[in-house]
DNA sequence: TCTGGGGTCCTAGGACCC
DNA sequence: TCTGGGGTCCTAGGACCC
């Protein structure tokens, strides 16, 4: 059997751990720049705050219902995620961390899966304060379904649902709408509904040839999974194949210097990420986008790919290539609202084959410099070392409701006093 | 006034090779 | 009028996920 463990309303729950007075109250977490709602407690969902809705549209709703509003605190959420995953890893030799708040565990032949799942829930709750739901089933896709049932019916299931019979499988698939199946997105849902398929069970029973034709092998695998045949294997923790840093600006920017400063900052962040996993990159993508939402202006998005003549992880070298690409797509007199950098085409630092001539290789002297910068920045919570061309502040973000870095910054550790 | 960010996988079709 | 056949590699773009 396979378990899917999912943290309930993860970001909102993280805020609650460090502020228990929020329990039973509506809590929401906003995206960067306090733009839109990206997490909601159950109470917030109940009063009709939609996922992804722009914050300015629900200010009144916030006020009327006394909603606790938080700016995204990814340092805190990332650390809480590591703690939860670490506890859960003790429950199986095979764990796949699927996202910041979800993981699969291979439970093999656990005799009493229900008790096992409830024990996990109790353990994670007691050690981290984060509530989780557990779904257990023969395949990953069915474990997703089981998890949804556990979450939807907490009092009946105790937060853990085990799909261990054919009757339960069919009942669940009759209950689940096809657009809510893991792996069926908007586009495929429309196609399926047009073909008269509305419930997950209808999809599971469709002809393979239709699925193959319309949804490729991905669809076939998914369909088999829903029928109890394991097709989606556990993927080992591997290195990422690309890293992006993209941001929506807090206002529009137009001048070359402003744009360059920000894009260089994004590049430095992305380069630090690839060094951390000991990769070198040899391709870069840069994009710029004008403001979406002004009807007076057309949306303009331009991107460029830069192929490096060698593989490198040096911020200095990567920045040069990024700026050369940026020059090609930057246009004066436009109002930019978003930009980003993606690094990819990685090779392993250890197994990298250098070119014959030194001038076709990365500058080896940068390595020590980068190591030193990374080491200093690791211990600095106030920006650390940066390039002169970088943004003075790492971000210029609206973060009006930011909570503390309770677990990752010594200055924010909570003090507990006995009275 | 204000609308997130970061990933992966699959495929069609072009380029190129013998 | 007739104009091979098969293979690989690469990439842009679509679709999906949280």
């Amino acid at each position: 059997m396979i378990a899917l463990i999912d943290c309930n309303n993860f970001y909102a729950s993280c805020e609650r751990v460090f502020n228990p007075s929020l329990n039973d109250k509506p809590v929401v977490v906003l995206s960067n720049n306090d733009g839109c709602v990206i997490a909601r407690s159950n109470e917030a969902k109940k009063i009709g705050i939609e996922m992804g809705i722009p914050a300015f549209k629900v200010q009144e709703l916030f006020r009327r219902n006394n909603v606790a509003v938080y700016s995204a605190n990814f340092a805190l959420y990332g650390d809480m995620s590591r703690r939860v995953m670490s506890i859960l890893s003790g429950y199986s030799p095979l764990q796949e961390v699927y996202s910041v708040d979800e993981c699969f565990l291979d439970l093999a032949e656990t005799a009493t899966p229900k008790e096992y799942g409830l024990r996990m829930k109790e353990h994670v709750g007691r050690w981290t304060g984060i509530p989780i739901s557990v779904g257990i089933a023969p395949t990953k896709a069915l474990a997703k379904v089981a998890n949804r049932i556990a979450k939807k019916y907490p009092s009946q299931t105790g937060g853990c649902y085990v799909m261990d019979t054919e009757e339960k499988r069919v009942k669940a698939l009759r209950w689940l709408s096809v657009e809510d199946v893991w792996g069926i997105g908007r586009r495929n849902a429309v196609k399926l509904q047009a073909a008269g398929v509305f419930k997950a069970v209808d999809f599971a029973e469709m002809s393979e040839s239709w699925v193959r034709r319309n949804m490729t092998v991905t669809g076939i695998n998914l369909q088999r999974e829903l029928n109890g045949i394991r097709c989606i294997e556990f993927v080992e923790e591997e290195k990422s194949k690309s890293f992006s840093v993209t941001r929506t600006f807090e206002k529009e920017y137009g001048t070359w210097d402003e744009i360059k400063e920000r894009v260089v900052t994004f590049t430095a962040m992305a380069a630090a990420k690839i060094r951390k996993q000991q990769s070198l990159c040899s391709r870069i993508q840069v994009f710029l986008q004008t403001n979406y939402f002004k009807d007076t202006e057309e949306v303009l998005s331009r991107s460029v790919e830069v192929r490096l003549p060698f593989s490198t992880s040096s911020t200095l070298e990567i920045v040069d290539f990024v700026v050369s690409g940026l020059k090609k797509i930057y246009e004066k007199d436009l109002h930019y609202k978003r930009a980003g950098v993606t690094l990819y085409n990685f090779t392993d630092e250890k197994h990298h084959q250098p070119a014959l001539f030194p001038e076709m290789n990365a500058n080896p002297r940068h390595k020590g410099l980068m190591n030193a910068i990374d080491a200093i920045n690791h211990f600095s919570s106030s920006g650390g070392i940066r390039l002169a061309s970088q943004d003075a502040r790492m971000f210029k973000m609206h973060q009006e409701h930011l909570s503390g870095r309770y677990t990752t910054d010594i200055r924010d550790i909570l003090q507990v006093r006995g009275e």
Side-chain angles (χ1 to χ4, degrees), chain A residues 314-350:
Chain A
S314 157
T315 299
L316 301 177
E317 287 171 331
I318 295 173
V319 160
D320 281 345
F321 291 111
V322 164
V323 170
S324 76
L326 191 61
K327 273 185 189 144
K328 288 187 193 148
I329 56 171
Y330 172 78
E331 269 182 64
K332 237 170 52 171
D333 305 325
L334 286 180
H335 302 290
Y336 292 104
K337 186 64 179 166
R338 216 160 87 86
V341 173
T342 305
L343 309 183
Y344 57 105
N345 235 39
F346 294 160
T347 49
D348 203 290
E349 193 179 86
K350 289 204 190 77

Side-chain angles (χ1 to χ4, degrees), chain A residues 150-163:
Chain A
K151 206 168 257 178
K152 175 103 183 182
Y153 304 103
S155 49
Q156 292 95 316
T157 62
C160 173
Y161 184 74
V162 181
M163 190 192 291

